[in-house]
């Protein structure tokens, strides 16, 4: 085999960095509108509180399935429109349509189906953006690229979250007696337009590198079929172990009186075991180059740095989901003196939580732009991430002693710094450590370690709370602080990178 001349990608200026990630701003507006308002829409259409967890399961489950598939195919897509950009466009169009249709739903089942379409479409548009940054930037620009993307995530989250509130103060009706309030309806329409226009901006102002250029940029041997060949040599033992673990979880639900949502976790374990058996059989057959074998093979053969980052990611997102689920009852009970969801004090606490969440997203946007790149250049990406995670752990721990709602703004500053780093540093480290040809699939598989914590927290944490401190939700914040500290410890095993070189 002849040697290949290795070239380097050109340095992107600020305009280039902006254009590469601007589409994420629109995507995050749509995502924030979904997160902040879907429960309200479901309840307006007759959904009960008990139904909400089942209706919301669409988000993590859709991401778990869609992102690895889109990552796999976007790695292998080469058209005159680009490699990742066709997926941006398709996902953005479908997500915008879903955002326009959602507030017009008049029955619960239609809203639920539209949520699935919306979440699937957002995932189709969102997943390739992570790989797109790695495709377009030199390794020494990965930190800046993912930091700017995180800034767009923070700003988009703030805009999407507060837009119904702003419309209400501008005189738009928030009356839900005749259906979805106008404040929510107009916000979804705005979000759909913003999402589509932002993604079109990125599509129209970027040009992806050709396959030949990407091959010239590569600085390591990248054998696409290697994980599939390794998979073909595996026995079915591990697959059967996954199935057995899933069956054990399913059996334990009634025996231990766990929440019914835990059945989903067991079903996912069984499904993965069955999928891996099928993937091994296909890898041994006449058509080894198939999507299932490639995805399972890549998951089973993740690079060491990705496995170590995945552990830190698992604990980081466990803490985040605890925060998103339990902050409102904690603030309402301990800062506003009410645990009754129908009381004025409880709802005042809920309103303040909305402000606190806007604060940490705003802090994340500022930290990503002004702090992370400079700190990473000085002490390295891994140490930067550790420091930021510890700031978040301190923020969560402060909930145990703070009783003045205003002082919680200081707590959220720590959380916002951690949030900025969680959205930027792991991806910058990954993009600099993985084969360019497989950035899409590995970024999609990395999402598994975001989804699994969500499912565990949504299911197991409720049982833990009920069993050990049913009337003291404040201890969930202590648990969040501990697991974020564990995430920081896990990062000690991740090798440092310098200028993107492991």
């Amino acid at each position: 085999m002849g040697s290949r001349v290795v070239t380097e990608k050109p340095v992107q200026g600020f305009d280039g960095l902006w254009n590469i990630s601007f589409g994420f701003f629109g995507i995050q507006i749509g995502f924030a509108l979904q997160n902040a308002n879907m429960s309200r829409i479901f309840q307006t259409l007759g959904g009960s509180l008990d139904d909400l967890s089942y209706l919301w399961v669409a988000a993590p489950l859709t991401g778990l399935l869609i992102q690895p598939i889109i990552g796999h195919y976007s790695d292998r897509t080469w058209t005159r429109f680009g490699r990742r950009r066709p997926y941006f466009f398709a996902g953005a169009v479908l997500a915008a349509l879903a955002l326009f249709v959602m507030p017009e739903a008049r029955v619960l089942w239609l809203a639920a189906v539209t949520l699935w379409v919306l979440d699937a479409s957002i995932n189709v548009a969102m997943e390739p953006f992570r790989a797109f940054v790695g495709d377009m930037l030199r390794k020494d620009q990965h930190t800046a690229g993912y930091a700017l993307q995180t800034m767009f995530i923070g700003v988009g989250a703030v805009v999407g979250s507060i837009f119904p509130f702003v419309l209400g103060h501008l005189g738009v009706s928030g009356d839900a007696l005749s259906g979805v309030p106008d404040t929510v309806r107009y916000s979804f329409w705005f979000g759909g337009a913003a999402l589509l226009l932002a993604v079109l901006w990125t599509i129209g102002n970027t040009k992806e590198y050709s396959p030949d250029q990407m091959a010239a940029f590569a600085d390591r041997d990248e054998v696409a079929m290697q994980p599939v060949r390794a998979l073909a040599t595996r026995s079915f033992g591990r697959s059967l172990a996954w199935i057995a673990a899933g069956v054990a979880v399913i059996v334990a639900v009634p025996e231990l009186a766990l929440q019914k949502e835990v059945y989903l976790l067991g079903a996912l374990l069984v499904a993965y075991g069955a999928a891996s058996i099928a993937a091994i059989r296909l890898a041994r057959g006449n058509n080894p180059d198939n999507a299932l074998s490639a995805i399972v093979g890549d998951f089973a053969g993740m690079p060491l740095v990705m496995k170590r980052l995945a552990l830190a990611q698992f604990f980081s997102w466990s803490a985040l989901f605890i925060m998103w689920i339990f902050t409102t009852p904690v603030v309402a009970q301990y800062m506003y003196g009410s645990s009754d969801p129908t009381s004025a004090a409880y709802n005042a606490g809920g309103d303040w939580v909305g402000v606190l969440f806007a604060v940490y997203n705003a802090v994340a946007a500022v930290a990503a732009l002004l702090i992370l790149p400079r700190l990473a250049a000085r002490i390295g990406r891994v140490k930067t991430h550790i420091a930021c995670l510890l700031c978040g752990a301190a923020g969560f721990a402060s909930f145990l002693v703070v009783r003045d709602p205003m002082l919680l703004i200081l707590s959220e500053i720590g959380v916002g710094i951690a949030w900025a780093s969680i959205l930027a540093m792991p991806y910058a480290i990954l993009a600099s450590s993985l084969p360019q040809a497989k950035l899409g699939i590995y970024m999609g598989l990395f999402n598994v370690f975001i989804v699994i914590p969500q499912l565990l927290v949504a299911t197991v944490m409720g049982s833990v709370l009920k069993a050990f401190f049913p009337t003291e939700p404040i201890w969930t914040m202590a648990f969040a602080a501990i697991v974020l500290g564990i995430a920081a410890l896990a990062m000690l095993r991740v090798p440092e990178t310098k200028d993107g070189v492991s």
Side-chain angles (χ1 to χ4, degrees):
M1 175 184 286
S3 61
R4 184 177 66 218
V5 176
V6 178
T7 60
E8 183 62 276
K9 297 171 187 174
V11 174
Q12 294 281 352
F14 185 78
D15 289 350
L17 296 173
W18 179 283
N19 292 336
I20 287 168
S21 287
F22 185 72
F24 225 113
F25 170 67
I27 291 172
Q28 194 61 34
I29 289 176
F31 196 65
L33 284 167
Q34 169 189 308
N35 283 345
N37 296 286
M38 283 313 304
S39 290
R40 185 197 310 199
I41 291 175
F42 286 146
Q43 288 181 289
T44 299
L45 297 176
S48 68
L49 287 174
D50 294 336
D51 293 330
L52 292 182
S53 60
Y54 297 103
L55 294 167
W56 268 109
V57 79
L61 187 58
T62 303
L64 185 66
L65 297 174
I66 291 290
Q67 292 215 19
I69 294 171
I70 295 300
H72 169 79
Y73 282 107
S74 72
D75 282 340
R76 300 176 176 218
T77 296
W78 297 99
T79 73
R80 64 190 182 95
F81 300 108
R83 184 187 193 187
R84 315 289 182 188
R85 291 185 301 170
Y87 294 91
F88 300 162
F89 180 73
V93 169
L94 292 173
L97 289 173
L99 284 166
F100 277 98
V101 170
M102 177 69 75
E104 297 304 310
R106 293 292 180 263
V107 290
L108 184 61
W109 69 264
L110 180 57
V113 170
T114 308
L115 174 61
W116 277 74
V117 173
L118 173 60
D119 207 84
S121 304
I122 286 176
N123 274 285
V124 169
M126 181 188 299
E127 197 285 332
F129 261 100
R130 297 292 192 190
F132 188 57
V133 173
D135 290 343
M136 299 296 294
L137 298 181
R138 292 162 42 123
K139 292 183 178 182
D140 57 0
Q141 287 197 292
H142 283 165
T143 298
Y146 285 105
L148 189 62
Q149 191 174 89
T150 298
M151 186 274 290
F152 282 127
I153 291 172
V155 174
V158 172
V159 172
S161 297
I162 68 171
F163 204 74
F165 175 82
V166 171
L167 287 179
H169 278 264
L170 292 175
V172 177
S173 172
D175 185 359
L177 294 178
S178 58
V180 176
D182 286 343
T183 52
V184 174
R185 177 179 288 106
Y186 298 158
S187 294
F188 270 63
W189 293 347
F190 161 81
L195 188 156
L196 184 58
L197 290 174
V199 172
L200 288 176
W201 177 275
T202 288
I203 292 173
N205 289 281
T206 57
K207 182 179 180 181
E208 295 185 72
Y209 298 116
S210 70
D212 289 341
Q213 288 174 308
M214 292 299 292
F217 295 146
D219 62 356
R220 66 189 74 196
D221 290 331
E222 299 174 354
V223 183
M225 291 297 294
Q226 188 173 0
V228 177
R229 294 185 187 121
L231 185 68
T233 66
R234 289 178 179 265
S235 69
F236 295 123
R238 293 183 183 179
S239 304
L240 294 173
W242 284 108
I243 294 173
V247 171
V249 170
I250 292 170
V251 171
V253 172
E255 294 295 327
L256 300 178
L258 300 175
Q259 295 183 4
K260 292 181 180 179
E261 291 87 345
V262 181
Y263 279 123
L264 176 61
L265 179 61
L268 288 173
L269 294 173
V270 172
Y272 177 72
S276 64
I277 289 175
I280 292 171
R281 291 178 64 88
L282 288 169
R284 293 175 180 175
N286 296 325
N287 183 28
D289 189 18
N290 63 87
L292 181 61
S293 295
I295 292 171
V296 173
D298 285 327
F299 184 76
M302 286 187 298
L304 182 61
V305 67
M306 183 172 171
K307 292 179 180 178
R308 292 179 174 178
L309 274 171
L311 183 63
Q313 193 81 334
F314 173 88
F315 286 110
S316 299
W317 282 87
S318 295
L320 292 172
F321 287 122
I322 290 171
M323 174 186 72
W324 291 328
I325 293 173
F326 294 105
T327 299
T328 294
V330 166
V331 171
Q333 180 172 334
Y334 293 90
M335 287 71 173
Y336 285 81
S338 177
S339 56
D340 178 8
T342 64
S343 69
Y346 187 97
N347 282 283
D351 291 342
W352 184 243
V353 169
V355 175
L356 295 177
F357 281 12
V359 167
Y360 88 74
N361 276 297
V363 168
V366 174
L369 196 61
L370 301 180
I371 297 175
L372 294 186
R374 292 176 174 83
L375 192 60
R378 181 179 292 272
I379 66 174
R381 294 166 178 167
V382 172
K383 291 179 182 177
T384 295
H385 195 42
I386 291 171
C388 292
L389 291 175
L390 292 177
C391 287
F396 286 129
S398 69
F399 275 73
L400 298 173
V401 294
V402 170
R403 291 297 176 266
D404 183 347
M406 290 296 296
L407 290 179
L408 289 179
I409 291 177
L410 298 178
S411 306
E412 294 301 322
I413 291 175
V415 173
I417 292 172
W419 177 231
S421 189
I422 289 168
L423 291 175
M425 287 299 110
Y427 297 98
I429 295 169
L430 270 183
S432 298
S433 307
L434 296 175
Q436 288 286 310
K438 290 202 168 190
L439 278 183
I441 179 61
Y442 282 132
M443 291 295 183
L445 290 172
F446 200 53
N447 184 62
V448 171
F449 303 99
I450 296 174
V451 173
I452 296 300
Q454 181 174 354
L455 294 174
L456 284 174
V457 169
T459 56
V460 176
M461 197 63 197
S463 298
V464 171
L465 185 66
K466 183 178 180 181
F468 295 101
F469 30 86
T471 62
E472 299 292 335
I474 191 71
W475 295 109
T476 59
M477 296 296 113
F479 196 82
I482 290 170
V483 295
L484 209 53
I486 294 173
L489 290 175
M491 284 299 299
L492 293 173
R493 300 178 66 244
V494 177
E496 186 58 87
T497 59
K498 183 178 181 180
D499 291 333
V501 181
S502 298

